């Protein structure tokens, strides 16, 4: 099953994956804010407060994990952009050398 998930992700662009992770991160942060608000506003028993704090810790870990994944994907996106620009420059250079030079000769 994990291989199938990896296979599907291979077909998704880096930009799409970044958008997807940013949406997940935003949802986690919203849930975290709601849990923090609830802990401040409501009278909770000690057990409920501990469960809420555990849930908040898990959400914080998820946000940190998503931040790391986003950092990696953004680095990959930058690398892809630099490669694309380099290919464009090489194409323009070859065009100038082979096509433009022959027309002037």
């Amino acid at each position: 099953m994990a291989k199938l998930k990896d296979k599907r992700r291979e077909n998704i662009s880096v930009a799409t994956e970044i958008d997807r992770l940013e949406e997940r991160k935003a949802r986690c942060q919203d849930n975290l804010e709601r849990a923090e608000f609830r802990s401040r506003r409501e009278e909770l028993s000690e057990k409920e407060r501990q469960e809420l704090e555990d849930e908040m810790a898990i959400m914080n870990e998820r946000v940190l994990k998503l931040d790391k994944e986003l950092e990696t994907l953004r680095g990959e996106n930058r690398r892809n952009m630099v490669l694309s620009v380099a290919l464009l420059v090489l194409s323009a250079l070859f065009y100038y050398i082979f096509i433009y030079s022959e027309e002037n000769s």
Side-chain angles (χ1 to χ4, degrees):
M1 179 129 162
K3 287 184 179 182
L4 180 62
K5 198 174 196 180
D6 291 338
K7 218 29 151 180
R8 272 188 265 141
R9 283 194 178 169
E10 286 177 8
N11 296 330
I12 297 175
S13 72
V14 175
T16 304
E17 186 70 11
I18 289 172
D19 289 342
R20 188 183 69 80
L21 288 177
E22 284 177 343
E23 288 174 12
R24 284 182 60 197
K25 180 182 170 189
R27 282 195 308 265
C28 283
Q29 287 175 330
D30 287 343
N31 290 339
L32 186 59
E33 288 173 8
R34 270 191 242 119
E36 288 173 349
F37 180 76
R38 182 175 172 226
S39 72
R40 288 191 308 266
R41 297 289 286 171
E42 294 181 16
E43 292 270 335
L44 300 172
S45 69
E46 193 60 38
K47 180 182 176 188
E48 290 173 328
R49 185 168 301 284
Q50 185 61 42
E51 287 174 356
L52 192 58
E53 287 176 6
D54 291 344
E55 184 180 334
M56 288 168 51
I58 290 169
M59 283 187 269
N60 276 325
E61 289 174 15
R62 285 182 186 161
V63 168
L64 291 174
K65 181 181 174 187
L66 289 170
D67 280 338
K68 288 178 184 177
E69 286 182 49
L70 280 168
E71 184 178 326
T72 302
L73 285 172
R74 287 183 178 129
E76 185 176 332
N77 199 29
R78 273 190 295 276
R79 190 180 69 236
N80 289 343
M81 189 263 315
V82 168
L83 181 61
S84 297
V85 170
L87 287 173
L88 178 66
V89 168
L90 280 173
S91 298
L93 183 63
F94 282 132
Y95 175 79
Y96 179 76
I97 290 171
F98 292 112
I99 305 298
Y100 191 72
S101 299
E102 290 178 5
E103 289 176 1
N104 289 336
S105 299

